[in-house]
Amino acid sequence: MKCSRAIAAAPVVLAACSGPLSTLDPGGDVARDIARLWWGMLAGAVLITVFVLVLLALGFGRPRAALQRHWIYGLGLWFSMAVLAVVLGAGLWVGERIVPRDDGAVTVRAHAVQWGWHFTHDGADGRPVTDTRTLHIPAGQPVDILVTSQDVIHSFWVPQLAGKMDAIPGRVNRLRVQADRAGRFDGLCAEFCGLGHAAMRFDVRAHDVWPPAVADRTIQEGHP
Amino acid sequence: MNDTVQHDAQDLPPNAPRRALRLHRELARVWANDRGVWGQVTAVSHTTLGLRFMATAFVFFAIGGILSMLIRAQLATRQGAFLDTDLYNQIFTMHGSIMMFLFAIPMLEGLGIWLLPKLLGTRDMAFPRLTALGYWCYLFGGLIMLTALLFGVAPRDGWFMYTPLSGATYSPGINADVWLLGVTFVEISAVAAAVEITVTILRQRAPGMKLTEMPLFAWYMLGTSAMMLVGFPPLIAGSVLLEVERAFGWPFFDPLRGGDPLLWQHLFWLFGHPEVYIIFLPAAGAMSTIIPVMCRTPILGYGAIVAAILGLVFLSFGLWVHHMFTVGIPHLALAFFSAASVLVAVPTAVQVFAWIGTIWKGRPELHLPMLHILGFFLTFVMGGLTGVMLAIVPFNWQAHDTAFVTAHLHYVLIGGFVFPMMAAVTYWMPLITGKARVKGVGEAASG
């Protein structure tokens, strides 16, 4: 019963790995590094789970000598610390690759309000251009997003491009994203922010030509 | 040697006829609850109050469970019209708050209050009236929150109550005040319990019972109560500050007037992360008590387990920021808190392998509590491993605030608390009721 349900669920589970809001269907280097980290950790976690459960199952037999040297020091301390050191090292390595740094990357702004976004980038004429539905970024290069908030805490998240960054009133947070190709990506608010939280969705458009030509966009001017 | 003992014994005056029995009856009368309903209200006995804590906690567990079913019913379909957004927000906030503050904490306090004097060989807790105060504070705080739920004005800003959303500007009405008042009463109850659990363990052990020889459960409760004494004051402080901001406009969390919304997050998680181990340690104490009995052998590595408890108590106060990896903190702090969060898995691994080693060493028998313990292993290992994943900052940036975290914390709490508590209840229930249980029912439930 359980097995057949698991098999029936398999296509559903795998289907969840792709799509516009999947972190496992990366659209750029930052998200791809994190996705690889996840697959590595998942493989390790599956092996460890099986290992522990097999040890547990083997315990149901005749009494055997169990030495502290093996169980406490060998498995409890050294085995766990070795695994954790590898995972932590991988995490720090990936983290160093994806943090924002001062390399003159294009900077755009995402300002959150209850319940929507004001996205600003520098237009072709050098004047800031604001849009409430779509964030415009250049494709094929790292982009830093300055995330701010008007009222309560929100969180800026485009799963295919990078992790999330909270929008906190009184602070300016910087998040690095990268899109490999020109195209459209989905984004959403990831921090519970009240009644309209679920509707705080937005689009990201990555452009080959930067700044995008005026004809390319639907612009609503006049926002702060 | 034998001669001396006999000689000393001859010097003692002989017992008066049936002196022991008379003394026992006298003492039993002195320590008993008064008769009738009023006797129940004024009861200070740890047995009565411990059981009452646990029974009340299970009632709240059932209420929290019903709320989770409402959440699932709403989420079962797209655009479901079962609950409106406001009611849904109230229900998921109350589900989390009830399970954390009105089920888990009172449940572990009840188990400790009921069991510790029996384990340590003392008649009652150090401060019996404080036990009673703690219970009534808990009940009062819990009823405040339940009443608000019944009248549709329950808190709705998430069980974590992040400012400024929970401030007066964005949450007008009494909803957030209900949370702050209700939870603060429960916190007072928790601090009261922690004070007397600590004192009871340190001061009231039976003559000759050294700290290094006490039952492991008492070590676990000592670690838990030490963490509660340090971990709850930040939350009480945070709740008081937020209520003062809401009621009197003092801007602790308002950036426009010099406050900082992150202050709340630091105070909340400085409580909130140790809280996870406050919940886990007593459950692990039950495991360390029950597994050796089910396997007919002493536990493997008593000293190592005590060291693991002390390690958890210390480390758990150094990693609250892993709940805040996405708030924009400096890179060095990210690395530090990531490493600390990873490190806390080591004492947990020591305990898990000590338990499995005990099972190898002994002759495990699949009695009912052991079935729940198998449930613990299946669930908790996955909960622990997903926790290590979340400690890795880049992955955390993707998984934070998603169903991955929800799944992780439910694996940890169901595996690390609910299953051990089910094992504990089935293990000690015959002692509580004095009756054998109905065969098969518990096995069916655990299956």
Side-chain angles (χ1 to χ4, degrees), chain A residues 115-197:
Chain A
W115 290 279
W117 298 88
H118 298 306
F119 300 112
T120 312
H121 66 271
D122 287 337
D125 52 2
R127 286 176 49 216
V129 184
T130 298
D131 188 317
T132 53
R133 277 179 47 96
T134 306
L135 169 67
H136 297 274
I137 58 170
Q141 53 175 296
V143 182
D144 283 357
I145 319 251
L146 296 183
V147 186
T148 51
S149 169
Q150 181 77 36
D151 35 45
V152 303
I153 298 177
H154 306 268
S155 192
F156 175 94
W157 191 30
V158 186
Q160 286 183 294
L161 298 187
K164 56 185 71 70
M165 184 55 74
D166 290 353
I168 299 176
R171 279 166 196 264
V172 181
N173 282 333
R174 183 181 287 262
L175 173 72
R176 175 148 295 193
V177 306
Q178 184 168 346
D180 284 346
R181 54 178 171 82
R184 203 181 138 269
F185 302 92
D186 281 18
L188 54 115
C189 172
E191 178 68 53
F192 176 63
C193 57
L195 280 178
H197 167 61

Side-chain angles (χ1 to χ4, degrees), chain A residues 1-2 38 40 46-47 58 91 143 159 174 190 222:
Chain A
M1 174 66 192
K2 266 188 182 157
W38 152 254
V46 169
L47 288 178
L58 290 179
V143 182
R174 183 181 287 262

Side-chain angles (χ1 to χ4, degrees), chain A residues 23 25-36 140 159-162 177-181 185, chain B residues 398:
Chain A
T23 61
D25 189 7
D29 282 348
V30 176
R32 190 169 299 113
D33 275 359
I34 302 177
R36 284 195 189 122
Q160 286 183 294
L161 298 187
V177 306
Q178 184 168 346
D180 284 346
R181 54 178 171 82
F185 302 92
Chain B
Q398 283 285 25

